[in-house]
């Protein structure tokens, strides 16, 4: 039974790793395909506006996610046996991200 559980864990771990890398590869390849297509199909002014919007969106996304990618999982792993503390950490992260999204929206609205 123990051998079966360890094999099952390894299979699910392998699937998780493959899924993660597949999503990462698609995320990297998609812009390489789409941006040249848009450059040909849009005129210069529309393409410039699109790239400006993409750059603003990327900068605001970095502002919103800054630090949470590292500190969130670290805090969760430290308190994984305390459900109330996990709930508090998740709530704090979500609340601060919502505040940053509102601020980012206002920045994007007036830029």
């Amino acid at each position: 039974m123990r051998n079966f559980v360890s094999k099952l864990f390894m299979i699910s771990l392998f699937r998780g790793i493959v899924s993660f890398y597949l999503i990462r590869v698609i995320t990297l390849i998609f812009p390489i395909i789409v941006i040249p297509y848009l450059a040909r199909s849009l005129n210069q002014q529309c393409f410039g506006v699109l790239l400006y919007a993409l750059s603003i969106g990327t900068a605001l996304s970095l502002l919103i996610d800054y630090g949470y990618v590292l500190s969130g999982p670290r805090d969760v792993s430290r308190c994984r046996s305390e459900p109330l503390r996990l709930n508090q950490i998740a709530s704090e992260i979500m609340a601060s991200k919502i505040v940053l999204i509102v601020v980012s929206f206002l920045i994007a609205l007036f830029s």
Side-chain angles (χ1 to χ4, degrees), residues 8-96:
L8 186 63
F9 174 75
M10 292 305 288
I11 290 171
S12 65
L13 179 66
F14 179 74
R15 283 184 182 171
I17 291 171
V18 169
S19 298
F20 173 76
Y21 280 111
L22 184 64
I23 290 171
R24 187 74 179 137
V25 167
I26 289 171
T27 303
L28 292 173
I29 291 177
F30 187 71
I32 294 172
I33 296 169
V34 171
I35 290 179
Y37 170 75
L38 290 173
R40 283 192 306 268
S41 62
L42 297 174
N43 61 19
Q44 288 180 351
Q45 184 178 4
C46 291
F47 188 66
V49 169
L50 173 70
L51 289 182
Y52 178 73
L54 283 174
S55 65
I56 295 293
T58 301
L60 294 177
S61 174
L62 287 172
L63 173 72
I64 293 168
D65 284 339
Y66 181 74
Y68 292 115
V69 175
L70 299 174
S71 64
R74 182 195 63 207
D75 293 343
V76 166
S77 69
R78 287 182 180 166
C79 303
R80 64 178 169 243
S81 61
E82 303 172 33
L84 293 176
R85 180 72 179 128
L86 285 175
N87 190 16
Q88 181 184 7
I89 291 170
S91 298
E92 288 172 357
I93 290 173
M94 291 305 291
S96 61

